[in-house]
């Protein structure tokens, strides 16, 4: 018999995703998990589409989290379940290389979709297990015990808040401890990126995983995506009386499809034409030469990345010198560049930014990969309702579906909750 939820101390420890994951685990296995681990989603303050160009980003972990309840099993199999799916998925650990054969052989390319043999949601946790096993000797991987994992989340899906990295971080943290791997957070982030790129087929950079794994309260993660060096940057939002308002348009996006791969290819063509390893190596002074070498579309893609890298550096400097109220114009310039040069905004995101700015936001921009998702606005604490109401009116006037608005708080990275 499945124990009653009230009898499980997990419920008292966490009222949301952690409790939901523990409850699903009990329904799946008939007993309590050995532990529940969670990892946060992230919001990106500034630095969009710079990560896969070896550039700079400034994200922060948020209070919304994904939880993974897990326990070892003795039969060498991995079973994953999610509150977002009706049925669990189970495979042998030894079959993971066959499940992701192109990934294992190195022939898989970003943009390929997850294998048809498993639903896409399951490719994330299974991909993490595959990527972690690849980090240890084959003889050791062959002796790893099986595991049951139940996943629940309160990270909004499709809103540009990296629900995928939260899944990867929670599952990686659980497996790292249960399997006794002893891997550091950066290595776990790298495993998450490999799972997303090669097992799922989403051509993302490493920003999301690093932000989720290395987040701290009231701070952003300043990440050099080439060296993976990080620095915690105090934000001071609360002290300055500011809130980060997320405006989720409700328009869902998918990184493994659509124009994301096209943008990445355009950036690679730009770097090749300039004779550099990645657009990180270009500066605004190189843009006139880029304009001569590239067609109009590729040039605008390059201009966005080069100027966005500079905006990240300028934001870090402004936060240190003058505090968070000094960064509004940089956020606005980032959105204009994403809208006009990188062309990943949509009318709903533009309306959200314009309405927020017109009604008192210090700065606003779309966040995430684009083609849907969310915008963020930096707003005085006392103005959140006024700005929110203005955004809702703007959406209604334009005939858009009502957006979902909520504030996010810079928060800590992964933890074991139970």
């Amino acid at each position: 018999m499945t124990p009653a939820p009230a009898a499980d101390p997990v419920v008292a420890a966490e009222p949301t995703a952690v409790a939901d994951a523990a409850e699903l685990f009990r329904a799946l296995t008939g007993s309590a998990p050995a532990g529940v681990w969670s990892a946060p989603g992230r919001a990106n303050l500034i630095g969009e589409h710079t990560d896969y160009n070896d550039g700079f980003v400034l994200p922060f972990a948020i209070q919304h989290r994904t939880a993974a309840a897990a326990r070892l099993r003795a039969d060498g199999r991995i079973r994953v379940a999610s509150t977002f799916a009706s049925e669990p998925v189970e495979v042998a650990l030894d079959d993971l290389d066959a499940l992701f054969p192109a990934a294992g052989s190195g022939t898989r390319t970003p943009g390929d979709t997850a294998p048809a043999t498993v639903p896409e949601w399951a490719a994330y946790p299974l991909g993490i297990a595959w990527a972690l096993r690849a980090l240890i000797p084959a003889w050791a991987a062959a002796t790893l015990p099986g595991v049951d994992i139940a996943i629940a989340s309160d990270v909004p899906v499709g809103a540009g808040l990296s629900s995928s990295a939260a899944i990867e971080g929670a599952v990686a943290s659980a497996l790292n401890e249960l399997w006794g791997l002893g891997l550091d957070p950066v290595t776990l982030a790298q495993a998450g990126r490999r799972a997303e790129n090669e097992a799922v087929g989403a051509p993302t950079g490493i920003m999301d995983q690093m932000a989720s794994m290395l987040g701290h309260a009231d701070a952003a993660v300043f990440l050099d995506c080439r060296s993976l060096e990080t620095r915690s940057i105090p934000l001071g939002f609360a002290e300055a009386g500011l809130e980060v308002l997320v405006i989720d348009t409700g328009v869902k996006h998918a990184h493994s499809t659509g124009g994301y791969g096209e943008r990445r290819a355009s950036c690679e063509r730009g770097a090749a034409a300039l004779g550099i390893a990645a657009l990180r190596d270009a500066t605004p002074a190189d843009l006139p030469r880029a304009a001569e070498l590239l067609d109009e579309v590729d040039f605008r893609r390059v201009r966005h990345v080069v100027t966005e890298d500079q905006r990240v550096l300028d934001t870090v400097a402004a936060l240190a010198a003058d505090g968070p109220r000094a960064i509004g114009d940089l956020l606005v310039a980032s959105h204009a560049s994403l809208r006009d040069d990188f062309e990943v905004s949509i009318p709903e995101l533009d309306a959200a930014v314009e309405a927020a700015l017109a009604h008192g936001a210090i700065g606003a921009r779309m966040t995430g990969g684009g083609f849907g998702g969310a915008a963020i606005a930096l707003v005085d604490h006392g103005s959140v309702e006024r700005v929110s109401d203005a955004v809702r009116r703007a959406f209604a006037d334009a005939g858009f579906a009502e957006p979902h608005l909520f504030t996010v708080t810079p928060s800590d990275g992964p933890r074991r909750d139970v």
Side-chain angles (χ1 to χ4, degrees):
M1 176 182 292
T2 301
D8 193 332
V10 172
V11 175
E14 181 67 48
T16 54
V18 170
D20 291 343
E23 182 178 355
L24 178 61
F25 189 93
R26 292 194 305 272
L28 180 70
T29 68
S31 58
V36 184
W37 293 258
S38 69
R42 65 100 186 98
N44 192 21
L45 186 61
I46 196 164
E48 221 67 76
H49 292 276
T50 52
D51 58 344
Y52 55 82
N53 289 291
D54 283 358
F56 304 103
V57 292
L58 192 65
F60 59 89
I62 61 176
Q63 77 272 27
H64 298 279
R65 304 178 74 85
T66 293
R71 191 185 64 210
L72 296 178
R73 50 190 284 175
D75 59 359
R77 299 181 68 80
I78 180 170
R79 178 170 52 167
V80 295
S82 169
T83 56
F84 292 98
S86 59
E87 296 292 335
V89 173
E90 181 175 338
V91 299
L93 287 172
D94 287 343
D95 288 341
L96 289 175
D97 285 336
L99 183 64
F100 306 115
S105 66
T107 60
R108 191 176 187 79
T109 58
D112 291 345
T113 56
T117 50
V118 297
E120 183 170 292
W121 73 265
Y124 288 95
L126 296 177
I128 282 290
W130 166 78
L132 292 178
R133 290 176 85 244
L135 294 174
I136 61 177
W139 64 265
T143 65
L144 289 175
V147 62
D148 282 317
I149 304 172
I151 299 165
S153 180
D154 60 22
V155 182
V157 176
L161 299 176
S162 200
S163 56
S164 58
I167 294 172
E168 292 153 8
V171 173
S173 297
L175 293 178
N176 189 43
E177 184 170 339
L178 290 174
W179 282 346
L181 302 178
L183 301 174
D184 62 84
V186 172
T187 302
L188 295 180
Q190 290 172 310
R193 180 190 184 182
R194 188 180 185 200
E196 189 148 351
N197 287 178
E198 299 186 42
V200 179
T204 59
I206 200 168
M207 173 184 68
D208 295 352
Q209 292 81 11
M210 291 288 280
S212 180
M213 294 301 300
L214 298 173
H216 291 289
D218 195 32
V221 178
F222 176 46
L223 169 64
D224 180 333
C225 294
R226 171 171 287 169
S227 67
L228 300 189
E229 293 178 357
T230 61
R231 181 154 51 99
S232 185
I233 304 297
L235 292 171
F237 290 158
E239 185 178 355
L242 296 173
E243 300 268 9
V244 179
L245 177 66
V246 175
I247 307 162
D248 180 3
T249 66
V251 179
K252 303 303 180 187
H253 61 191
H255 280 168
S256 59
T257 58
Y260 192 101
E262 293 177 9
R263 301 309 190 275
R264 185 165 184 159
S266 191
C267 292
E268 291 169 355
R269 287 193 296 270
L274 290 168
I276 54 180
L279 292 181
R280 143 68 173 276
D281 299 310
T283 70
D286 294 311
L287 291 176
R289 184 165 69 96
E292 296 176 355
L293 295 172
L294 301 169
D295 65 39
E296 188 264 342
V297 172
D298 281 355
F299 169 69
R300 287 190 289 108
R301 307 298 188 244
V302 168
R303 182 168 61 186
H304 164 71
V305 173
V306 173
T307 58
E308 186 81 345
D309 269 334
Q310 187 61 51
R311 282 187 288 270
V312 174
L313 300 177
D314 291 345
T315 299
V316 171
L319 285 166
D322 302 306
R325 291 184 175 274
I327 68 172
D329 288 347
L330 291 162
L331 302 182
V332 174
S334 174
H335 182 78
S337 182
L338 287 158
R339 180 191 64 211
D340 300 334
D341 278 354
F342 223 63
E343 296 183 290
V344 292
S345 189
I346 59 173
E348 288 89 343
L349 289 170
D350 296 338
V353 169
E354 291 164 9
L357 292 173
H359 290 83
I362 291 170
R365 60 182 288 273
M366 59 153 284
T367 187
F371 308 107
I376 59 170
L378 194 58
V379 179
D380 281 297
H381 178 74
S383 301
V384 170
E385 285 305 316
R386 183 176 76 247
V387 173
S388 298
D389 289 343
V391 170
R392 292 189 185 97
R393 286 196 303 271
F395 272 52
D397 291 346
F400 300 148
E402 183 174 356
H404 181 212
L405 294 99
F406 52 94
T407 58
V408 292
T409 304
S411 302
D412 289 326
R415 63 184 183 230
R416 179 169 179 169
D417 294 271
V418 178

